[in-house]
Amino acid sequence: FEAGFQGRFNTKETSTDLYLDEVFTPDFSNSADFESGIYSLYASYSGKINNLGYQTGLRTEMEDRTIKVLETNTEYNTNRWDFFPTIHLSYQLPKDHQLMASYTRRTSRLRDWLLFPYLQYVDAYNVRMGDPTLTPSLIDSWEAGYIKQFKNAQFSTEFYHRVTHDKIDYILESYENNIAIQKPKNIGKDYATGVEANLNFKVKKVWEPTIMASIYHYKVDSYSTGQKKTRESNNWDLRLNNNFLLYKNITLQANA
């Protein structure tokens, strides 16, 4: 059994000044104070019943965030709670076979520059503005896998399904003339479902290749325009990593 508390604090003063042809441009010159505190409580318990191993846990977080734009003396406050349960299971089969399954919830934290609510110059055709009401993306992940250990090799495969809630993406809108404005928004959800396979083995102690392949289906549902829009695709990845022992402690890596 394990339990604990974690506190993370971030304080930042930021200032952006823009000069076009050496002329100060106040519309794109801003300063802000940023303060954030994240307070976490967590507990986990693990054990084993015969060939079944398990670990379960729960983490809860409270985020307290303040952004103050100094030019307008405008303050934006956020206070939210999130909960992150996890469970991991493993089952040892005869002859070095193992089954695994898990569920986890994770978060994708916000970068502070996504939150500042003032215009920022990108280039002659693009400006951007942050959104202090953005919420972090939460990711639910279900995984199930199989591992087989050989004398000089290991094979593993994993099936997964992941759902991202409150996915963040940039929305492009017309600003003025031929200039576009980029705004980050919580646009909706995305889904990734696929399978991965890995094979690692050794060839006469001097060459250790690892072959990794995956195929997955990706879908995103966007509600940014008030109507549901869906985009889908089928994707695959193939990677080959090689480690060569040249001499004693000298190794060469080659990846494709």
Side-chain angles (χ1 to χ4, degrees):
F1 175 76
E2 180 181 346
F5 168 80
Q6 183 182 55
R8 281 165 287 185
F9 310 95
N10 184 13
T11 301
K12 179 181 293 187
E13 297 178 359
T14 180
S15 178
T16 302
D17 292 336
L18 177 67
Y19 292 83
L20 293 175
D21 297 327
E22 299 184 356
V23 177
F24 181 70
T25 308
D27 289 345
F28 295 95
S29 301
N30 296 277
S31 54
D33 290 339
F34 176 89
E35 293 183 0
S36 174
I38 300 176
Y39 311 94
S40 306
L41 284 170
Y42 69 92
S44 66
Y45 184 81
S46 61
K48 191 173 183 181
I49 303 174
N50 298 324
N51 292 332
L52 176 66
Y54 62 90
Q55 182 186 58
T56 182
L58 177 66
R59 187 174 89 254
T60 179
E61 289 189 355
M62 192 275 282
E63 181 181 13
D64 185 17
R65 184 179 71 223
T66 299
I67 299 173
K68 184 176 183 180
V69 181
L70 301 185
E71 280 74 15
T72 60
N73 197 32
T74 306
E75 192 169 289
Y76 303 87
N77 297 289
T78 298
N79 190 289
R80 59 177 285 136
W81 284 91
D82 288 304
F83 297 89
F84 303 94
T86 62
I87 183 169
H88 299 270
L89 302 172
S90 65
Y91 191 82
Q92 188 66 47
L93 298 171
K95 299 182 179 180
D96 295 325
H97 296 266
Q98 188 179 43
L99 299 176
M100 297 181 301
S102 68
Y103 163 75
T104 60
R105 166 166 276 204
R106 304 189 301 273
T107 184
S108 179
R109 302 199 184 281
L110 297 170
R111 298 178 181 270
D112 51 13
W113 52 267
L114 290 171
L115 302 169
F116 294 136
Y118 46 70
L119 288 171
Q120 301 172 65
Y121 180 87
V122 178
D123 55 42
Y125 301 100
N126 294 277
V127 297
R128 71 183 180 199
M129 175 181 285
D131 183 354
T133 66
L134 281 179
T135 59
S137 299
L138 300 178
I139 305 161
D140 288 318
S141 178
W142 293 265
E143 300 176 0
Y146 163 78
I147 297 177
K148 167 60 177 173
Q149 188 71 46
F150 301 93
K151 182 178 179 181
N152 293 314
Q154 177 179 283
F155 171 77
S156 65
T157 184
E158 180 183 72
F159 171 82
Y160 63 88
H161 177 67
R162 299 178 186 129
V163 182
T164 302
H165 306 269
D166 294 325
K167 176 180 171 61
I168 297 173
D169 210 341
Y170 272 107
I171 303 300
L172 289 178
E173 298 176 351
S174 176
Y175 176 60
E176 60 180 26
N177 299 328
N178 294 320
I179 300 175
I181 184 169
Q182 307 171 15
K183 296 180 179 180
K185 295 291 183 183
N186 293 111
I187 65 166
K189 293 183 180 181
D190 74 359
Y191 309 81
T193 304
V195 61
E196 296 180 348
N198 292 268
L199 177 62
N200 172 265
F201 57 97
K202 289 186 177 181
V203 180
K204 294 184 178 180
K205 297 183 180 181
V206 296
W207 177 29
E208 185 177 353
T210 301
I211 303 170
M212 295 168 283
S214 69
I215 182 169
Y216 63 97
H217 178 77
Y218 177 77
K219 182 177 79 168
V220 56
D221 291 335
S222 172
Y223 299 89
S224 59
T225 61
Q227 297 179 336
K228 180 180 178 180
K229 294 184 177 181
T230 298
R231 178 168 51 88
E232 299 183 64
S233 63
N234 294 312
N235 312 273
W236 60 272
D237 296 311
L238 181 64
R239 300 187 299 276
L240 174 62
N241 298 338
N242 299 273
N243 287 313
F244 299 94
L245 180 62
L246 301 182
Y247 177 75
K248 292 184 178 180
N249 295 325
I250 300 176
T251 60
L252 171 69
Q253 290 187 344
N255 303 318

